[in-house]
Amino acid sequence: MNKRQELILQIVKEGGPITGEQIADQLNLTRATLRPDLAILTMAGFLDARPRVGYFYTGKSGTQLLTENLQKLYVKDFQSIPVVVSENVSVYDAICTMFLEDVGTMFVVDHNSKLVGVLSRKDLLRASIGKQELTNIPVNIIMTRMPNITMCKKEDLLIDIAQKLIEKQIDALPIVKETENGFEVVGRITKTNITKAFLSLAKDQ
Amino acid sequence: MNKRQELILQIVKEGGPITGEQIADQLNLTRATLRPDLAILTMAGFLDARPRVGYFYTGKSGTQLLTENLQKLYVKDFQSIPVVVSENVSVYDAICTMFLEDVGTMFVVDHNSKLVGVLSRKDLLRASIGKQELTNIPVNIIMTRMPNITMCKKEDLLIDIAQKLIEKQIDALPIVKETENGFEVVGRITKTNITKAFLSLAKDQ
């Protein structure tokens, strides 16, 4: 941004909405001289122009404009397939499923295939150093259960899910669809998916 | 981008480097008329101008320009503190440390405090469903050992680390500093850190 563009930005910030004519007056320049600068500031997103109103400051920095691209990434474009186990399965069998499927988080469902719990590697590890026989404990004893489960929808913004994962200090969320008798698990979104999204930003799409 | 800007971009793509004068000729317009459009295309990064040479096409799309911002994120700005255990510690004690420190990956060091292995929750879970007594097995039996450890440096680009985490299907990397007798562990970088970096892009920095 050149010196004159910075001046214009300052003027609009303080006095906007303001016409091109008025900005030119303040700078002792002609409207024609200013036109390229105003075009650039508008094109770059710093200013917005409304007919018969004038220019106003959008309040957007370069970084904010960059982040608008992030606001276009949705859960449905980066999700993974969910791995589910029945609530009556033993902790031992759940651990085996976790290794077979190579996932870090599994979802527990009832006889109607509706979400009732979440099992993380941490939950399974905690159970496995206990004194009990792992083949005798059903997963519904050790899982995180409803209503303490953070869920999301396919249409959610990826950036909001990243926020939830960090806030709640968890690795994965179930993607659900609401039905009459509960939530159906339709997907899984993890820090791995977020890492892939981060990478996708750096690649030519 | 307006129709005329698209035309200019096309002309420069095909005939660049080319002077403003020459572009104006091709479009039957004056140099003055073109000036705002050329300024915008240059400002937006599509064209670059060199004195006494003319305009040339940078080959950059809007997405590429966005991603240049990603190329400014370094490991050192998003790293976490590493959690290390000695190679003689038992698997049981390592699991306790993992819960106490609340991490998903720990690094194993020798008597010189140099990196010799990596322990993930998955490694510990695998060991814990085995038949052995966990207090009797040292971690160096079950850890991933050198030279099979993927490492990184503080100065590495975050985007390259994200790539490694996905390629190698791991959750964390040790950040190391090379010394005469091996690698000193100075940090830890995880998918959680990448998720936070992703979030930071969306926030006003």
Side-chain angles (χ1 to χ4, degrees), chain B residues 53-101:
Chain B
V53 176
Y55 291 91
F56 55 94
Y57 181 58
T58 58
K60 286 175 187 169
S61 64
T63 313
Q64 278 176 298
L65 292 165
L66 151 76
T67 63
E68 285 185 3
N69 281 283
L70 284 177
Q71 301 284 355
K72 292 172 199 154
L73 305 180
Y74 291 93
V75 164
K76 64 174 178 293
D77 301 319
F78 290 92
Q79 66 183 358
S80 292
I81 292 168
V83 175
V84 297
V85 292
S86 156
E87 58 182 331
N88 306 315
V89 151
S90 73
V91 169
Y92 184 86
D93 286 346
I95 294 176
C96 293
T97 304
M98 184 166 271
F99 274 102
L100 272 172
E101 304 279 352

Side-chain angles (χ1 to χ4, degrees), chain A residues 1 5 35-36 39-41 43-44 46 59 61 63-64 66-67 69-71 73 92 95-96 98-99 102 121-126 128-129 131 134 158-160 162-166 169 171 190-205, chain B residues 1 5 35-36 39-41 43-44 46 61 63-64 66-67 69-71 73 92 95-96 98-99 102 121-126 128-129 131 134 158-166 169 171 190-205:
Chain A
M1 213 182 291
Q5 285 160 6
R35 198 163 290 133
I40 285 170
L41 289 170
M43 171 91 175
F46 294 108
S61 65
T63 313
Q64 279 178 299
L66 151 76
T67 63
N69 281 282
L70 285 176
Q71 302 284 354
L73 306 179
Y92 185 86
I95 294 175
C96 293
M98 185 167 273
F99 275 101
D102 199 22
R121 259 184 210 148
K122 209 167 147 184
D123 296 326
L124 294 172
L125 189 57
R126 193 184 293 109
S128 73
I129 57 166
K131 294 278 166 257
L134 297 180
L158 208 55
I159 203 73
D160 293 334
Q163 180 74 45
K164 277 190 188 177
L165 292 173
I166 295 299
Q169 297 187 280
D171 288 327
T190 70
K191 284 178 183 164
T192 302
N193 300 126
I194 306 285
T195 302
K196 283 180 181 167
F198 180 80
L199 267 179
S200 79
L201 291 173
K203 284 180 185 149
D204 215 357
Q205 285 167 306
Chain B
M1 212 183 289
Q5 287 160 6
R35 199 163 289 134
I40 285 169
L41 289 170
M43 170 94 175
F46 294 108
S61 64
T63 313
Q64 278 176 298
L66 151 76
T67 63
N69 281 283
L70 284 177
Q71 301 284 355
L73 305 180
Y92 184 86
I95 294 176
C96 293
M98 184 166 271
F99 274 102
D102 199 20
R121 257 184 213 149
K122 208 167 147 182
D123 295 326
L124 294 173
L125 189 58
R126 194 185 293 107
S128 72
I129 56 167
K131 293 276 167 259
L134 297 181
L158 207 56
I159 203 74
D160 293 335
I161 301 316
Q163 181 74 45
K164 278 190 188 176
L165 291 173
I166 295 299
Q169 297 188 282
D171 287 327
T190 69
K191 284 177 185 166
T192 303
N193 300 125
I194 307 283
T195 302
K196 284 180 180 168
F198 181 80
L199 266 181
S200 79
L201 291 173
K203 284 179 184 151
D204 214 0
Q205 284 167 309

